[in-house]
Amino acid sequence: MIVGVPKEIKDNEYRVALTPAGTHLLKQHGHRVIVESGAGAGSGFADADYAAEGAELAATAGEVWTRADMILKVKEPLPAEYPRFREGQIVFTYLHLAAAGDLAGALMQAGVTAIAYETIQLSSGALPLLTPMSEVAGRMSVQIGAQFLEAFHGGRGILLGGVPGVPPGNVVILGGGIVGTNAAKIALGLGGSVVIVEKNPDRMRVLDDMFGGRVHTLMSNPYNIASAVQKADLLIGAVLIPGARAPRLVSEEMVRSMKKGAVIVDVAVDQGGSIATIDRATSHSHPTYVKYGVVHYAVANIPGAVPRTSTLALTNATLPYVLELADKGVAQALSDNPALLSGLNVYGGHCTHPAVAASLGVAWKPARMTGAGAVPV
Ligand SMILES: NC(=O)c1ccc[n+]([C@@H]2O[C@H](COP(=O)([O-])OP(=O)(O)OC[C@H]3O[C@@H](n4cnc5c(N)ncnc54)[C@H](O)[C@@H]3O)[C@@H](O)[C@H]2O)c1
């Protein structure tokens, strides 16, 4: 198979979907790899590093998209990339289609086989290709929040850890999954006082054991959320319903009740956001805006700020699936691996993921495997 790696074009996105180590493995398995010149530079990988492992370098993104059977990316394709879609071409990347009707439409219209990292799900319910980026984003969310709490950045001038004689800042985390847990680890490490709002009692028990009572857990309901949000210095949105739009847990009125100069970091913005006053993603170059005196941070690609760590963490997780797709071809790979099949969002012009289809309000056509391949039914 010819595997293509274009350079990411999203604002300040420096990750790359394949490393020289991944190139080495794909070549070992008999595949061809085409990398757009400069694609790895932001993560510290030079063209020469890829070439040394046998990659062919392409001068333009167009060349990569035209020649490759499978495109590997990090972020969702942007409108400038839609005209490059080809029927039957595999696009393997983060897609977040539940909140992106235009992109879903473009993929369906072109007949792309679109496999989303974020909906690949193991039988345990774990999301192995979301996990590494959630770990990074969760840890970053507190680092970012602490920075914007500084008066110089518009915050209320709070040091999260406090000092002897001065209480620490209150960190409220909505959702105690991977992002929430990693945020809690860093917030505790900085000396903050941490509350996690969760809806799953079993998860709350795990968190309680994990943190030995140093983190307070709170059942997710509007009453508890309103009271926690009011006290928060730093509010972190970290909820997820896989494949669906994020639930809006914090109303406009709750944001109005927050302290002036408090900070919201809505990590769940990539799924549409969990806070009523966050209705659009911001960018690394313009990461915040202020509403009701509260600093809002809504960058949808937080891990892009630490590309070296993120690229290595992401490709550690994606490479086994890339190899399976390349070695077996899409039909056999989807047939053999239910986790990979759950990643299939668009196939043959149809939406093949139930939660994505429901969020978009389009028909769901589950893909059925036949000897000849996957066909929507
Ligand atoms: N902005 C970014 O750069 C970035 C990076 C990584 C992940 N994310 C996003 O962060 C979000 C969280 O990801 P994750 O990996 O932690 O997911 P996860 O599935 O591990 O955790 C989500 C948690 O939310 C809880 N939850 C669901 N509904 C809830 C509700 N109504 N009230 C309280 N808790 C609720 C779930 O029980 C679960 O524990 C996702 O939207 C993901 O796409 C964003």
Side-chain angles (χ1 to χ4, degrees):
M1 190 179 277
I2 303 180
V3 179
V5 185
K7 189 170 159 47
E8 293 299 315
I9 58 171
K10 192 160 183 149
D11 176 61
N12 280 294
E13 178 55 71
Y14 299 114
R15 287 173 291 176
V16 62
L18 188 75
T19 62
T23 306
H24 180 91
L25 259 178
L26 279 166
K27 291 292 294 182
Q28 223 174 34
H29 283 234
H31 305 293
R32 287 173 66 190
V33 177
I34 305 175
V35 177
E36 184 182 350
S37 178
S43 293
F45 300 115
D47 286 352
D49 299 333
Y50 289 98
E53 300 308 328
E56 300 157 50
L57 293 167
T60 62
E63 191 183 335
V64 178
W65 282 89
T66 305
R67 290 174 58 200
D69 303 310
M70 172 160 64
I71 292 288
L72 300 182
K73 273 182 58 64
V74 178
K75 289 309 288 182
E76 73 283 356
L78 296 181
E81 291 170 314
Y82 299 175
R84 303 195 191 284
F85 293 160
R86 272 199 352 252
E87 189 175 351
Q89 188 174 46
I90 306 166
V91 174
F92 191 31
T93 186
Y94 286 117
L95 285 169
H96 300 289
L97 291 186
D102 287 356
L103 172 57
L107 289 166
M108 287 191 275
Q109 204 178 1
V112 168
T113 300
I115 306 174
Y117 291 165
E118 74 278 3
T119 65
I120 289 189
Q121 191 160 25
L122 305 178
S123 54
S124 64
L127 301 165
L129 302 196
L130 199 55
T131 301
M133 292 306 95
S134 290
E135 288 167 341
V136 172
R139 290 176 185 217
M140 286 282 293
S141 66
V142 175
Q143 194 170 311
I144 291 161
Q147 183 193 346
F148 285 103
L149 275 170
E150 291 171 14
F152 183 66
H153 288 109
R156 56 192 310 258
I158 290 259
L159 177 64
L160 272 186
V163 287
V166 181
N170 291 321
V171 181
V172 174
I173 301 168
L174 305 173
I178 309 288
V179 168
T181 305
N182 279 277
K185 281 182 186 169
I186 300 300
L188 277 182
L190 288 178
S193 164
V194 182
V195 173
I196 300 181
V197 180
E198 240 300 332
K199 70 164 188 186
N200 176 351
D202 288 335
R203 184 66 195 161
M204 284 195 268
R205 289 187 186 101
V206 169
L207 292 167
D208 196 61
D209 285 345
M210 185 188 297
F211 291 113
R214 288 183 304 145
V215 161
H216 299 282
T217 51
L218 206 53
M219 177 50 81
S220 179
N221 61 48
Y223 181 89
N224 283 345
I225 293 172
S227 113
V229 162
Q230 200 174 16
K231 294 181 204 128
D233 295 302
L234 172 58
L235 174 64
I236 294 173
V239 288
L240 175 68
I241 298 169
R245 204 202 167 287
R248 278 274 156 91
L249 299 183
V250 176
S251 66
E252 193 143 346
E253 197 186 336
M254 292 182 202
V255 175
R256 256 188 235 252
S257 78
M258 290 177 76
K259 297 180 262 195
K260 300 297 165 228
V263 175
I264 298 175
V265 177
D266 195 1
V267 184
V269 66
D270 59 347
Q271 293 288 127
S274 54
I275 320 272
T277 45
I278 292 193
D279 50 9
R280 64 192 157 93
T282 57
S283 64
H284 284 295
S285 29
H286 297 97
T288 60
Y289 58 91
V290 176
K291 189 152 189 193
Y292 302 131
V294 175
V295 180
H296 290 60
Y297 177 100
V299 174
N301 58 333
I302 294 173
V306 285
R308 179 83 183 180
T309 300
S310 298
T311 288
L312 290 167
L314 176 65
T315 55
N316 281 346
T318 54
L319 194 59
Y321 296 98
V322 171
L323 278 175
E324 189 167 357
L325 283 165
D327 287 350
K328 297 179 177 175
V330 71
Q332 195 62 47
L334 291 172
S335 212
D336 289 355
N337 188 341
L340 207 41
L341 183 58
S342 65
L344 188 67
N345 278 213
V346 173
Y347 185 83
H350 300 281
C351 182
T352 50
H353 192 284
V356 171
S359 291
L360 291 173
V362 301
W364 168 47
K365 296 236 176 180
R368 177 170 55 88
M369 294 305 140
T370 70
V375 288
V377 291

